Amino acid sequence: MSAAATRRLTTAQALVRFLAAQYTERDGVRHRLIAGTWGIFGHGNVAGLGQALVEYADLMPYHQGRNEQAMVHAAVGHARQLNRLSAQAVTTSIGPGATNLVTGAALATINRLPVLLLPGDYFASHAADPLLQQLEHPVEADVSVNDTLRPVSRYFDRVARPEALVASALQAMRVLTDPAETGAVTLALPQDVQAEAYDWPEEFFADRVWRVRRPAPDPVELTEAARAIRAAGRPLIVAGGGVHHSEAEDALKALVDATGIPVAATQAGKGALRHDHPADLGGIGHTGTAVSDDLARTADLVIGVGTRYTDFTTASGTLFQHPGVRFLNLNITAFDAHKLAARTLVCDARTGLTALTGALSGHRVDASYEAEYRAGKARWDETVEAAYRADDDSAVPTQTQVLGALDAVVGDQDVVINAAGSLPGDLHKLWRARSPRQYHLEYGYSCMGYEIPAALGVQQAAPGRSVWALVGDGTYLMNPTEIVTAVQENLPVKLILVQNHGYASIGGLSESVGAERFGTDYRHRAADGTFTGAPLPVDLAANAASLGMDVLRAKTVRELREALVAARAATRPTCVHVETATAATPPAAAWWDVPVAEVSAREAATGARAEYERAVADRRRHL
């Protein structure tokens, strides 16, 4: 190759230029693949990627993070909002900066969401050895702390030579854009290699378009799927996150309108149909609605669309109880399509649903079945209204009344984000999703601390929308750091901080399994070591204000409504702080397997064990 066809750059400079030239395309619409880079700099990346990001600041937007895990969460929120067609990169130093990526990487891979991780690494030449923060392994000299990212990455490489970047970078982009393989991608970058110069082929920096496939169903599989649906008397669709990733909501609606088959949604799939569609039954599984779970117990054909069938969705294998129940799974990933010994349609969700609608022309479920599930939906709607209703505006609101107040304020295009605690259960059962991206629950990893940074990523991806992060006090204390970044970048996210003085969700679970709420309350400890029961003198609203947020304190239902209206209109990062009253919420309509101590001297545990043995007896292996 002639000298004119090469460009001499450092490895880090070449990587930044390469990333800036990558695009995705689906249905004729092009997106920038790597929309920006989050970074916290240290001695493993400051002289390499740090210098390169300065060199090419006009090509690659940079976002300053405060916590490495939070940066990954922000990137994941961005990718989910844009249906996996655009991603962000995250760079860290070696040592704790790199290992802090692991939780975020696990979350991304579990949820099938793309993020590019670029941690610094040791000297490939071992010229300086051992480095500050370097792990020394006595028998594997090529091991570093970045190897902790291997099991949580869909692709991993340590770029030990500049020229190795060419093949590795292309593989990384392939995985990021593959709808069946995507997740966290890690390119570990030895710091001496980052700064080393190389003569790069000009073709490496040319614009490159990665077309996101929409594979069609196999004709034989499609025929068999249609035959199975026509033969079913009580079919039920379980809509998962793959419906959203494929932008298949309209295709799902067309199928349902034509056939009358009802739809229940996983946490990731909620919003696949609008809440007021006659066939939308809400959430399914342990956190699902009573109407969904009742129908699931009697369904003779369960049609999974883009779902992983997590433990919550299947109620630990106890939900689908019809003696002859069978499964039909439409999924772009064969690994997921084959779960529960299902008949499979391995294809893109939108393409597959459209083909299935055509194959089912003229078919509709029995009118009595439609009448049954519509009546159940009406009853559940009354349950939601009762949970949302607040008859006394001067009272301290309950958590479900907080959701009711928010429901009255948000617009159809607002985004509501949550991940952990007691809120996911209430949201899955009660939230009335009005658009495909309004409901944003990270429940694959259910990671405390996801909500605030994810809100930043969503706000970057959807700058015109109001983005709400709902967090309890336990979750807030896990990871509030990116509030500073929201202020720095003037991202007008809205934070609803629900103060209930402890881990409410796990406290309830602890009580149900005989652990007696041990270690779940935030209570003051007296000098003698006993707990007094008094709440800790902690002011989280003041903490949020100290990090730069505008804070609105709401003590009553009326004040909460006023604060939410003001927050939605705000142009700066704004927090609504509300302390909630304890009140009963609609109970779980399905079981969840949390093993209970088989023997114990405590009555609470022995009683919980008896209930556990009764419930576990209903578990089925679907073969």
Side-chain angles (χ1 to χ4, degrees), residues 312-353:
F312 261 48
T313 297
T314 66
S316 303
T318 64
L319 185 57
F320 306 111
Q321 287 296 321
H322 188 285
V325 65
R326 291 293 181 264
F327 296 84
L328 166 64
N329 292 338
L330 192 165
N331 204 297
I332 199 166
T333 305
F335 177 83
D336 292 318
H338 283 274
K339 288 177 178 175
L340 302 176
R343 187 184 305 277
T344 62
L345 269 177
V346 180
C347 59
D348 169 73
R350 192 168 86 181
T351 303
L353 287 168

Side-chain angles (χ1 to χ4, degrees), residues 182-348:
T182 196
V185 168
T186 300
L187 298 182
L189 302 171
Q191 54 189 294
D192 53 346
V193 176
Q194 289 182 51
E196 188 175 345
Y198 181 73
D199 293 323
W200 302 89
E202 283 287 353
E203 291 88 346
F204 189 55
F205 308 119
D207 286 0
R208 188 180 301 268
V209 178
W210 301 83
R211 288 183 173 81
V212 180
R213 299 185 299 277
R214 287 196 181 276
D218 176 83
V220 174
E221 286 193 337
L222 179 63
T223 299
E224 292 181 350
R227 183 182 298 119
I229 294 173
R230 289 180 182 276
R234 301 180 64 82
L236 172 67
I237 293 172
V238 176
V243 175
H244 293 308
H245 299 328
S246 176
E247 299 175 293
E249 297 89 359
D250 288 344
L252 176 64
K253 181 177 182 298
L255 174 66
V256 172
D257 287 346
T259 64
I261 301 173
V263 176
T266 69
Q267 287 278 17
K270 194 173 171 77
L273 287 182
R274 266 187 65 103
H275 76 93
D276 52 4
H277 190 285
D280 179 69
L281 307 182
I284 190 171
H286 179 67
T287 54
T289 68
V291 58
S292 285
D293 289 345
D294 285 346
L295 223 63
R297 276 184 270 270
T298 60
D300 57 355
L301 180 68
V302 178
I303 306 165
V305 183
T307 177
R308 299 186 298 121
Y309 286 112
T310 63
D311 188 39
F312 261 48
T313 297
T314 66
S316 303
T318 64
L319 185 57
F320 306 111
Q321 287 296 321
H322 188 285
V325 65
R326 291 293 181 264
F327 296 84
L328 166 64
N329 292 338
L330 192 165
N331 204 297
I332 199 166
T333 305
F335 177 83
D336 292 318
H338 283 274
K339 288 177 178 175
L340 302 176
R343 187 184 305 277
T344 62
L345 269 177
V346 180
C347 59
D348 169 73

Side-chain angles (χ1 to χ4, degrees), residues 434-561:
R434 307 176 203 169
S435 65
R437 278 289 170 226
Q438 186 183 69
Y439 186 88
H440 183 127
L441 260 286
E442 187 290 295
Y443 216 58
Y445 210 39
S446 187
C447 186
M448 296 178 72
Y450 170 82
E451 296 91 339
I452 295 173
L456 273 61
V458 171
Q459 192 75 81
Q460 289 173 332
R465 299 193 184 195
S466 292
V467 180
W468 303 83
L470 274 66
V471 300
D473 50 312
T475 292
Y476 178 86
L477 286 168
M478 286 278 184
N479 201 4
T481 56
E482 269 21 61
I483 287 175
V484 178
T485 300
V487 173
Q488 181 180 33
E489 300 215 359
N490 196 30
L491 296 170
V493 295
K494 297 47 166 110
L495 170 62
I496 302 178
L497 177 49
V498 179
Q499 174 62 273
N500 55 20
H501 302 290
Y503 302 121
S505 174
I506 207 68
L509 177 62
S510 173
E511 187 171 47
S512 72
V513 298
E516 304 174 55
R517 292 186 176 266
F518 178 75
T520 63
D521 291 335
Y522 290 170
R523 294 180 293 165
H524 185 71
R525 189 187 293 270
D528 64 359
T530 60
F531 288 106
T532 66
L536 294 174
V538 175
D539 190 341
L540 298 183
N543 179 262
S546 76
L547 296 177
M549 278 196 130
D550 292 342
V551 175
L552 305 170
R553 296 176 183 260
K555 296 182 179 179
T556 67
V557 172
R558 180 183 301 106
E559 291 177 359
L560 173 63
R561 290 171 179 157

Side-chain angles (χ1 to χ4, degrees), residues 18 27 33 75 166 210 248 254 259 272 284 306 337 396 507 554 581 607 616:
F18 169 84
D27 305 327
L33 175 52
V166 174
W210 301 83
T259 64
I284 190 171
V396 175
V616 79

Side-chain angles (χ1 to χ4, degrees), residues 15 18-19 34 36-38 72 75 87-91 101 113-119 155 169 172-173 176 183-187:
L15 178 57
F18 169 84
L19 294 177
I34 305 300
T37 298
W38 290 88
V72 186
Q88 293 177 319
V90 178
T91 179
L101 296 173
L113 292 167
V115 62
L116 177 61
L117 308 180
L118 305 172
Y155 178 78
M173 299 304 104
L176 287 173
V185 168
T186 300
L187 298 182

Side-chain angles (χ1 to χ4, degrees), residues 388-404:
Y388 280 2
R389 187 181 305 119
D391 297 324
D392 183 359
D393 282 1
S394 64
V396 175
T398 65
Q399 183 163 282
T400 60
Q401 289 169 349
V402 171
L403 298 184

